[in-house]
Amino acid sequence: MGIAFDNSYARLPERFFSSQMPAKVPDAQLIRYNDELGKQLGIPEDLGMFSGNHLPEGAQPISQAYAGHQFGGFNPQLGDGRAILLGEVVNDHGKRRDIQLKGSGRTAFSRGGDGKSALGPVLREYIVSEAMHALGVPTTRALAAVATREAVMREEPTPGGVFTRVAASHIRVGTFQFFAAQQDTEAVLELVNHCIARHYPQAATAENPVLAFLECIIEAQAMLMARWLPLGFIHGVMNTDNCSISGETIDYGPCAFMDDFHPDCVFSYIDRQARYAWGNQPTICHWNMTRLAETLLPILDPNAERAKELAEGALGQFIGHFQEPYLNAFREKLGLSTEKDLAKSGTFLKSTLGTMAREEVDFSLFFRHLAAENHVELIALFKNPESGKTWLNEWQSIERPADSLVKMKAVNPIRIPRNHQIEKVIQAAYRDDFAPFHRMVEGMSDPFTEKAEYADLEAAPLPEERVQNTFCGT
Ligand code: AMP
Ligand code: MG
């Protein structure tokens, strides 16, 4: 039985994409195949397919056109420079999924790049996207990781890889910007209709479907921010071309889970202005939504003034969609979910985050140790134990349900994919040892359960292990 491809994006007008065969890599080796996901999609293990060497029947390989704001500056011509969409499959729940190869050679959008990927970023995206899924965050998924056994030229010759990514779609804010920048309103409308059918069918029957569509994405993105922040997740490169219309987390280049908490924490080496710092992410997401709304103005309403009003109204909903789930997530983390007074919880959260930043406590361990029977380990996280005791006294004075510790453990992960561990995994892989990679993927698959055999993956980095910067994985 073949794969049941149904390639709706390839049926859109030709200016939406460019047909592109993946490059062949004859010595490729399969590193990992995601058996569970493969079964759901009806895609069996197939090195030929995951390396780009063999095109399965029904695939229709294309690279997609898009534009984007990168660090605030507009680039009208980006596109899949190192990615090829093989096609779409619809699983038994009627869910449509893109199957994309990342790192399989040059495309019409490669500009100066080689279209390839180093193996390190492939393994990193595999680990982090599957960890995000296990943590319950909407995300693209990892179907396979392949080592090409060819060197790609980066700062030095580096082992190459191909990643098979699965997504609800790869349509981005930047896809809309690509057509809007060319005043191609017809294409924008066509893209809206495609996205409504695919992601937000409820918008189709609204009085103004374009407005309803915009509101749906704004809600999905606001909810996504409300999931990222309580996990200490920093995306690192929230450019509009990395902002998905489906509301999934996409592009795990320079991302990180914070170790020591600070709202201004930023990892990405190229993010010199801390534009994409932890605490800035909701603001940037709203900025990205504003860029999306701009592309829709000509089709929101024939009257330009009215169109602007509608867009502003939709954008105004962002904060409401973000704030309550954000606060509720932190209330659950702190065991305060039954506390009626929302404003009081908000004030306590603010002062807690302030204390955490001043005391340089490890973000994930703080919440996890708070859920423990005794608080010796929690207090040890504080630079100054007296501040820890003061904070703890305040927390203890708030009434909580009897089963709060159990509930807190269910929302506060003990294992998150920490950068210093990912770094070790990559270094081992470059020595041809993939055991640490497999172990890390497995350790992250059940992040809320204590498991003695993974104790090393729980620990915060030692000072000498700390990763200061992450780089765009190319
Ligand atoms: P990203 O950092 O993955 O969001 O990529 C930003 C843009 O640069 C996209 O248009 C990519 O396709 C392109 N790009 C990144 N790396 C490469 C590469 N090695 N070869 C060609 N294009 C690339
Ligand atoms: Mg990208």
Side-chain angles (χ1 to χ4, degrees), residues 5 7 22 49 55-56 58-61 84-88 99-101:
F5 281 108
N7 308 323
M49 170 178 172
L55 206 59
Q60 202 172 339
I84 294 175
L85 176 63
L86 290 181
E88 302 157 31
I99 313 299
Q100 189 200 61
L101 298 184

Side-chain angles (χ1 to χ4, degrees), residues 209-381:
V210 179
L211 177 63
F213 163 71
L214 177 62
E215 288 173 339
C216 284
I217 303 166
I218 286 172
E219 180 174 0
Q221 283 289 336
M223 303 268 283
L224 188 63
M225 295 306 109
R227 304 304 300 272
W228 283 3
L229 268 63
L231 287 168
F233 180 74
I234 304 171
H235 182 279
V237 59
M238 290 176 71
N239 296 334
T240 57
D241 55 305
N242 293 332
C243 181
S244 164
I245 296 302
S246 72
E248 292 175 319
T249 312
I250 187 169
D251 210 321
Y252 291 95
C255 66
F257 284 82
M258 251 187 295
D259 298 307
D260 287 357
F261 174 71
H262 201 285
D264 301 335
C265 184
V266 47
F267 280 84
S268 173
Y269 175 68
I270 49 176
D271 190 2
R272 303 210 178 251
Q273 325 240 299
R275 179 180 169 88
Y276 301 140
W278 176 83
N280 215 23
Q281 295 181 115
T283 307
I284 290 294
C285 186
H286 182 270
W287 191 90
N288 288 348
M289 292 299 98
T290 310
R291 303 288 80 78
L292 174 67
E294 282 166 0
T295 71
L296 302 177
L297 286 174
I299 54 171
L300 267 171
D301 196 276
N303 176 317
E305 267 312 300
R306 179 76 191 130
K308 205 166 153 243
E309 273 169 32
L310 293 175
E312 277 165 4
L315 290 163
Q317 296 167 14
F318 181 92
I319 189 73
H321 288 309
F322 167 72
Q323 221 141 36
E324 207 178 300
Y326 167 82
L327 184 54
N328 278 332
F330 269 109
R331 277 153 51 94
E332 283 179 8
K333 288 174 82 68
L334 289 163
L336 309 178
S337 47
T338 49
E339 161 75 57
K340 300 249 170 351
D341 191 341
L342 269 183
K344 206 169 120 198
S345 304
T347 310
F348 181 68
L349 174 61
K350 252 199 195 133
S351 88
T352 298
L353 294 176
T355 304
M356 288 171 72
R358 264 194 316 280
E359 292 294 321
E360 298 171 15
V361 300
D362 184 88
F363 184 84
S364 302
L365 291 181
F366 174 85
F367 290 103
R368 188 66 188 199
H369 291 338
L370 186 60
E373 294 304 327
N374 77 65
H375 291 121
V376 178
E377 286 181 294
L378 175 80
I379 297 297
L381 295 173

Side-chain angles (χ1 to χ4, degrees), residues 75 112 143 210 438 462:
N75 187 333
L143 181 59
V210 179
H438 293 299
L462 300 168

